[in-house]
Amino acid sequence: QVQLVESGGGLVQVGGSLRLSCAASIRTFSWYNTAWFRQAPGKEREFVAALTWSGSSTAYSDSVKGRFTISRDNAKNTAYLQMNSLKTEDTAVYYCAVGPPGDLRKNYEYWGRGTQVTVSS
């Protein structure tokens, strides 16, 4: 059974930074693309960032490009999302997801339960 467990969320002030982690209990983690999505209250879940299984290609939403960085450590079965220059509009529950090679923005099979990020002014 595949499990993804996010951590690293919390309360931070505008302009601050957080680093989210996603620990995957999947033996073939290195075969999967990995991504982060987020959902703010009253809004639909939206794509944030993704990274190919090889780490050779990334994708970011326009709203986080230049501020967030996705990475992975296949030896640790862990993905990361470094978030800098946080804004109040980044407040959301952040979800980690993994899926087969293909479109980086969709078709993810496995999801974590999320971690709350709150950015205060």
Side-chain angles (χ1 to χ4, degrees), residues 7 14 16 26 32-33 38 46:
S7 62
V14 168
I26 176 172
Y32 288 83
N33 291 346
R38 68 186 181 187
E46 65 172 354

Side-chain angles (χ1 to χ4, degrees), residues 18-97:
L18 282 174
R19 187 194 195 203
L20 305 184
S21 298
C22 171
S25 64
I26 176 172
R27 190 171 58 184
T28 55
F29 177 72
S30 62
W31 296 1
Y32 288 83
N33 291 346
T34 185
W36 290 91
F37 290 75
R38 68 186 181 187
Q39 187 167 20
K43 295 186 177 181
E44 294 187 354
R45 186 170 60 190
E46 65 172 354
F47 170 80
V48 174
L51 179 65
T52 54
W53 62 273
S54 65
S56 62
S57 182
T58 58
Y60 294 93
S61 68
D62 288 342
S63 62
V64 307
K65 195 174 297 181
R67 299 187 298 122
F68 291 11
T69 303
I70 188 171
S71 61
R72 64 190 294 161
D73 185 338
N74 287 339
K76 296 182 178 180
N77 277 16
T78 302
Y80 304 97
L81 185 68
Q82 178 67 44
M83 306 186 295
N84 299 328
S85 302
L86 283 162
K87 306 175 181 179
T88 55
E89 51 262 46
D90 294 319
T91 295
V93 177
Y94 283 71
Y95 298 90
C96 174

